[in-house]
Amino acid sequence: SGSRFRRVAPLIGQQVEGTVEDCRVEGGSVSAGHTVGGLVGVCYAGVVRKCYSTCSVRGWTDAEDIGGLLGRGERCNVNNCYAQGTVRGNKSLGGLIGRMVQGTVSHCYAAGAVSSGTDAGGFVGLATKTLASACFWDLQATGRTTSMAGTGAKTEDLYKAATFINAGWDFVDTWTICEGTDYPRLKWENRPCP
């Protein structure tokens, strides 16, 4: 039965307190019964920052809490992160986070396709008592026009530094962008522009 496989992710299945920083999962795929993330399955009272995932994330039949970066967060702080992998499941699906409870999310974006389902959002599928600031999702890439948090924007606007700088993103120490051709990338990735 798929219900045996919970809190699954390529990097960390369950994070309790502590900090996950400067981490990435490039490509590949992960699938399980419930609470599946592209980087972290579930985060309890921890911090995830300056991380990204391009992993494809899939929840099995009746799966919930499926996110491109984080399946579920409780009292978790997520900042300066992004996800670009596809997200598929049944309930609480989000381009970045499937479900967030009493957490904070700032300076993050999501740009991977999110399948339809109950509480499917371009950025966060389901959120309660969560504060999200300066966060975005790509309306076209995710295929979602709604989200429980974040601001939806067109791809062309998310390829512009001004979109993020106007929202207070740090393009000196944290982020970089190939203007007009790509989304922002974390500076530590050290990716050259084409």
Side-chain angles (χ1 to χ4, degrees):
S1 162
S3 62
R4 296 181 296 146
F5 300 98
R6 297 174 182 267
R7 301 181 188 114
V8 176
L11 187 65
I12 299 170
Q14 180 172 308
Q15 171 195 4
V16 179
E17 299 180 340
T19 300
V20 176
E21 184 172 6
D22 296 343
C23 293
R24 70 175 168 223
V25 174
E26 293 244 5
S29 63
V30 61
S31 64
H34 292 283
T35 319
V36 189
L39 186 85
V40 176
V42 64
C43 169
Y44 292 110
V47 175
V48 179
R49 65 181 172 222
K50 295 183 182 177
C51 295
Y52 74 90
S53 176
T54 61
C55 178
S56 176
V57 183
R58 182 175 65 90
W60 297 338
T61 304
D62 297 329
E64 58 185 75
D65 300 347
I66 315 297
L69 186 82
L70 181 66
R72 181 184 179 107
E74 293 192 23
R75 298 181 317 278
C76 187
N77 178 302
V78 181
N79 63 75
N80 294 301
C81 293
Y82 70 88
Q84 292 183 331
T86 60
V87 178
R88 293 176 305 206
N90 186 55
K91 184 177 180 182
S92 308
L93 316 169
L96 191 83
I97 301 169
R99 182 189 309 234
M100 187 66 133
V101 180
Q102 295 181 338
T104 60
V105 190
S106 64
H107 306 96
C108 296
Y109 74 88
V114 179
S115 70
S116 58
T118 305
D119 299 320
F123 188 72
V124 175
L126 188 61
T128 53
K129 297 182 181 176
T130 296
L131 174 64
S133 59
C135 293
F136 300 92
W137 82 90
D138 187 318
L139 292 162
Q140 295 151 289
T142 63
R144 301 281 110 208
T145 58
T146 61
S147 176
M148 290 288 288
T151 301
K154 293 179 180 178
T155 305
E156 65 185 64
D157 293 325
L158 296 179
Y159 280 10
K160 296 175 184 174
T163 300
F164 301 94
I165 291 169
N166 291 340
W169 286 41
D170 175 5
F171 276 82
V172 175
D173 298 317
T174 306
W175 294 96
T176 185
I177 193 167
C178 294
E179 186 75 26
T181 62
D182 198 5
Y183 302 98
R185 303 292 183 163
L186 292 161
K187 206 153 199 177
W188 64 258
E189 293 179 62
N190 200 25
R191 289 188 193 208
C193 288

